[in-house]
Amino acid sequence: MVGHSFYKGVSNRRPCFIFHPILCTIRHETDQIMQQGMTLHVPIHLLPYPSPCGLLLLGCYDHRLCLCDWVASKRHEHNMSTLLHTLQTTFSHTPSPTTQTAARLLDEYFAHRRDTFELPLLTIGTDFQRKVWDALLTVPYGATVTYQQLATRIGHPKSARAVGVAVGSNRISIFLPCHRIVGAGHKLGGFAGGVAAKRRLLQLEADHVTTEAQTIHQTEIYKDVSSVASF
């Protein structure tokens, strides 16, 4: 099933052309589908994004972000194939306003200038998967919850393992923050982009939250000092 989460945004980022064997495979599969005569309406626009944690592939369908996937992930080709055949369309290697916006928002996120995202999202999965993915949006920037806690949040306290599988099937990484879900005892657990990438994302957010808290604290101290001085 297809689900929608609504946000806003625009950007002028230029496309980044990167050679990668999996991206070449995607282009080949798209060409094959076109040769078979499939009726095409709206394509999935793709844009590679070289993040500090690894190469991501952004995808947009009908003005909604449907992909922010780690190219090195074992599930990447499966994710691409699922999108292609579920939406009955093909891939376009030209940028779109939505993928350009997504790239700009990621630039800001990695530069510690953004802690929320405003962009329309398109999720494709079962009702249970979409319920889990929607719940990911309730985990604040800089925070973590366990798979068990997330299962409880969605009303399935005995389904932590199934929740973990659904989290691992997320195709819109970072925008749907699956990196904020950790194992029991706050062990990092698995991650499509690799454990090192997950650790780096969590550290990036923790550092930003700490810096903001220190800034607020220093501002409050300054106000107190100013108040005393003026008195």
Side-chain angles (χ1 to χ4, degrees), residues 12 19 24-25 27 43 52 63 82 140 220 227:
N12 296 317
F19 174 81
C24 292
T25 301
R27 184 183 293 275
H63 310 294
T82 298
E220 290 174 345
S227 175

Side-chain angles (χ1 to χ4, degrees), residues 13 15-24 27 47-51 54-57 71 93:
R13 183 187 178 92
C16 175
F17 297 99
I18 298 174
F19 174 81
H20 193 283
I22 292 180
L23 301 186
C24 292
R27 184 183 293 275
L47 178 64
Y49 180 83
S51 86
L55 181 61
L56 289 163
L57 187 62
V71 173
H93 296 270

Side-chain angles (χ1 to χ4, degrees), residues 112-150:
H112 300 279
R113 297 199 309 271
R114 173 169 295 277
D115 55 18
T116 59
F117 295 106
E118 298 173 346
L119 202 66
L121 305 180
L122 175 65
T123 54
I124 298 173
T126 65
D127 288 342
F128 181 79
Q129 286 176 322
R130 289 169 51 210
K131 193 172 185 178
V132 172
W133 297 335
D134 286 344
L136 294 176
L137 294 171
T138 68
V139 184
Y141 180 97
T144 59
V145 302
T146 66
Y147 294 101
Q148 180 60 63
Q149 289 171 327
L150 192 65

Side-chain angles (χ1 to χ4, degrees), residues 163-177:
V163 164
V165 173
V167 169
S169 300
N170 173 32
R171 300 182 193 89
I172 314 178
S173 192
I174 301 179
F175 291 89
L176 289 177

